[in-house]
Amino acid sequence: MDKPYEQEEQKTEVIYGTDNILKSTAEITSKIKSTIDNCIDSSAPASFVSRDLPMFDNLSLAKSKGIISRFITEITSENIAYCLELMKIVELRHLDKVKLRHLDKVKENFGIIDGKDYRASASLIDGNPPTELIISTTKLFVNQQQSFFDMLWEKAIPAKQRIKEINEGLKREFIETIQYKTFYSCGLILKRISNANYQPFYPCSNYNLCQT
């Protein structure tokens, strides 16, 4: 029998293969109690609203249960249609391309479920689901990434505002640089995911690494 969500052990693991990732996502979705926080790149909204994949139905079900879903992405003229669809089931905000120190040239998708379960993958290709997914329930690390998401959420603007800017041809004047030190371990994870020679590793096996 599976352990209750609250009693699952703290660990970090990597799941390979789209089918296995979708299965794991469906399993965790059934256990969500209150929140889903996701930061996704501009190619990802297409996969979340695709009727050929289970994500849209999963998020719709979560909304019907009163679960709060917060998504951050870069809304562009290319993905605006997908974002409009995504807005029907999640609270969506826009963030311009953010240059994160130690994450240069790395596009990442990460999320935190109920503040307890962290998941991350490399940038999606043509809106397709990822083939590798890292999962961590290590409390110190997850808390760290939740704080990072909350910081980005505060800096992001409502999707409706960004869509209005696009429709009216307005230009945003700057790209914000975040001084990224506290969350350096996140950069290590995402760089390893994006590496073609990636091997499983355990970034939070000790306190010092999480505090790098």
Side-chain angles (χ1 to χ4, degrees), residues 6-18:
E6 300 85 354
Q7 298 179 14
E8 291 183 354
E9 63 180 321
Q10 295 186 39
K11 62 181 179 179
T12 299
E13 62 180 333
V14 179
I15 296 179
Y16 296 96
T18 298

Side-chain angles (χ1 to χ4, degrees), residues 2-147:
D2 292 338
K3 294 181 181 179
Y5 183 40
E6 300 85 354
Q7 298 179 14
E8 291 183 354
E9 63 180 321
Q10 295 186 39
K11 62 181 179 179
T12 299
E13 62 180 333
V14 179
I15 296 179
Y16 296 96
T18 298
D19 290 342
N20 291 330
I21 291 171
L22 292 176
K23 180 180 178 182
S24 174
T25 301
E27 289 174 352
I28 193 65
T29 299
S30 67
K31 300 178 182 180
I32 298 173
K33 294 185 178 298
S34 58
T35 60
I36 304 171
D37 292 331
N38 270 321
C39 183
I40 57 178
D41 65 31
S42 59
S43 68
S47 66
F48 279 94
V49 301
S50 172
R51 297 306 192 272
D52 296 326
L53 298 171
M55 280 87 86
F56 187 88
D57 288 340
N58 290 341
L59 288 171
S60 296
L61 179 61
K63 181 180 179 180
S64 70
K65 293 180 177 179
I67 292 168
I68 298 172
S69 298
R70 301 187 298 174
F71 276 60
I72 301 170
T73 192
E74 181 187 11
I75 302 175
T76 68
S77 58
E78 288 76 22
N79 70 8
I80 192 170
Y82 301 121
C83 290
L84 285 168
E85 191 71 11
L86 188 58
M87 288 168 62
K88 296 177 181 178
I89 51 174
V90 307
E91 184 176 354
L92 184 65
R93 289 191 180 183
H94 164 83
L95 195 62
D96 285 332
K97 292 179 180 178
V98 179
K99 183 179 180 182
L100 303 176
R101 286 191 177 182
H102 308 303
L103 286 178
D104 293 354
K105 299 181 180 178
V106 177
K107 293 183 178 180
E108 74 284 349
N109 297 277
F110 74 91
I112 305 109
I113 296 171
D114 287 337
K116 298 177 180 179
D117 186 297
Y118 169 87
R119 296 176 176 234
S121 71
S123 180
L124 306 187
I125 300 176
D126 297 329
N128 293 316
T131 57
E132 296 179 3
L133 181 73
I134 189 166
I135 300 173
S136 179
T137 53
T138 304
K139 186 175 180 179
L140 179 63
F141 177 72
V142 176
N143 288 346
Q144 189 183 66
Q145 304 314 312
Q146 183 67 65
S147 295

